[in-house]
Amino acid sequence: MQWCRCRHLWPLIQVLPTLCELIKFDDEEILANVCWAVSYFSDAIQAVIDSGIVPDIVALLKHPELPVHTAALNAVGNLASGNSFQTDVILKLNALPGIQELLRSAATEVRQDACWTVSNITAGERSQIQCVIDSGILDEIVRMFNKDVKDVRMEAVSALANLTDGGSPEQIRYLAEMDGCLPGIVRFLAAKDQRVANACLSALKNILQDDQDEQYKEALLNHLLLNLNLEDRLEALTESPHDEIASLAQELLDYVNS
């Protein structure tokens, strides 16, 4: 199905009815190709939703064969990158349990894509972030952030940083109090991967500067300074050769010393 990669050759309105027929076939190769085809239409998410194919794609997240659930996951991840109404479609179809299963996959690429999909959801509305919290997925994300390989860690920390960027004070506090979250964020401030370090700085800034009550903020800051050695880590980052990291580290250092 290489033709599906070229949107100009096949207008989407012509392709989708065919894909809706093909996804009913009980054939691993056909199912995988259909899902990959749908994943290439990231600029036409609403048309994909209107076609009625999305419930079938979500169901394929639990398909036992790696090529099929990998392709389905990519399609779902792209759909979740749409607007809030489009992301709601994925959530209302109960995609999160399937995504959670794939976070435990033995395949690194699948775990990475599952984290990326979650990060697209946590970049959304607070109600969508709450769905992620209620599903229990954050336990997996924090664990992977701390213990998984570099590429998976990058997507996991993006999911956490997105939550801190758009979450409510209660949601951000819930994340900050999760076992391993703050220690991991502080530890990976020193990550060699600039993207990981920058995401950790952004998450930390959002956590510290969120609209929490002053007593909680003071206790949180004391924990970071006394137990996690935050000040020394920030001072080291102010010497980073990457201007964005050095500037954000200095901003946070000024905040904790104010």
Side-chain angles (χ1 to χ4, degrees), residues 169 173 208 210-220:
R173 182 170 179 171
L208 286 173
D210 190 61
D211 188 23
Q212 303 280 5
D213 65 81
E214 291 304 316
Q215 185 176 0
Y216 173 76
K217 276 187 175 181
E218 183 178 354
L220 176 62

Side-chain angles (χ1 to χ4, degrees), residues 45-258:
I45 291 174
Q46 192 57 49
V48 172
I49 291 172
D50 292 342
S51 75
I53 199 172
V54 179
D56 291 314
I57 292 174
V58 170
L60 290 176
L61 290 172
K62 295 188 176 184
H63 194 282
E65 297 299 329
L66 177 65
V68 178
H69 63 240
T70 298
L73 180 59
N74 272 268
V76 170
N78 275 311
L79 294 169
S81 69
N83 62 41
S84 61
F85 299 103
Q86 293 162 346
T87 303
D88 273 341
V89 171
I90 299 299
L91 295 173
K92 289 176 181 177
L93 289 171
N94 202 29
L96 288 175
I99 295 169
Q100 187 167 20
E101 286 185 22
L102 297 180
L103 287 169
R104 307 184 188 111
S105 171
T108 299
E109 183 179 355
V110 172
R111 298 197 307 277
Q112 181 180 354
D113 288 344
C115 287
W116 163 70
T117 301
V118 174
S119 75
N120 285 341
I121 299 172
T122 57
E125 303 291 333
R126 291 178 176 181
S127 60
Q128 294 165 346
I129 290 173
Q130 192 59 47
C131 287
V132 173
I133 291 173
D134 293 343
S135 73
I137 278 179
L138 285 182
D139 291 321
E140 300 284 348
I141 296 292
V142 171
R143 177 187 61 79
M144 297 165 81
F145 166 53
N146 278 290
K147 297 182 178 181
D148 217 312
V149 297
K150 181 180 71 173
D151 289 341
V152 177
R153 180 178 299 124
M154 180 62 238
E155 298 299 342
V157 73
S158 294
L160 301 180
N162 287 346
L163 188 155
T164 67
D165 192 46
S168 68
E170 294 77 17
Q171 290 168 336
I172 295 172
R173 182 170 179 171
Y174 176 86
L175 175 64
E177 292 178 350
M178 292 186 69
D179 287 344
C181 182
L182 286 178
I185 287 174
V186 174
R187 181 169 72 256
F188 287 112
L189 290 174
K192 293 180 180 179
D193 189 326
Q194 179 186 351
R195 300 170 303 163
V196 172
N198 192 57
C200 287
L201 280 167
S202 297
L204 191 59
K205 176 183 177 182
N206 292 333
I207 290 169
L208 286 173
Q209 298 185 357
D210 190 61
D211 188 23
Q212 303 280 5
D213 65 81
E214 291 304 316
Q215 185 176 0
Y216 173 76
K217 276 187 175 181
E218 183 178 354
L220 176 62
L221 192 53
N222 284 338
H223 172 63
L224 289 166
L225 293 173
L226 298 177
N227 299 329
L228 300 179
N229 202 26
L230 177 61
E231 187 172 7
D232 289 345
R233 292 179 183 271
L234 290 175
E235 285 179 350
L237 282 179
T238 61
E239 304 297 325
S240 171
H242 304 291
D243 291 343
E244 185 178 1
I245 289 178
S247 176
L248 187 50
Q250 186 62 58
E251 179 183 348
L252 280 171
L253 189 60
D254 292 342
Y255 177 83
V256 301
N257 287 328
S258 62

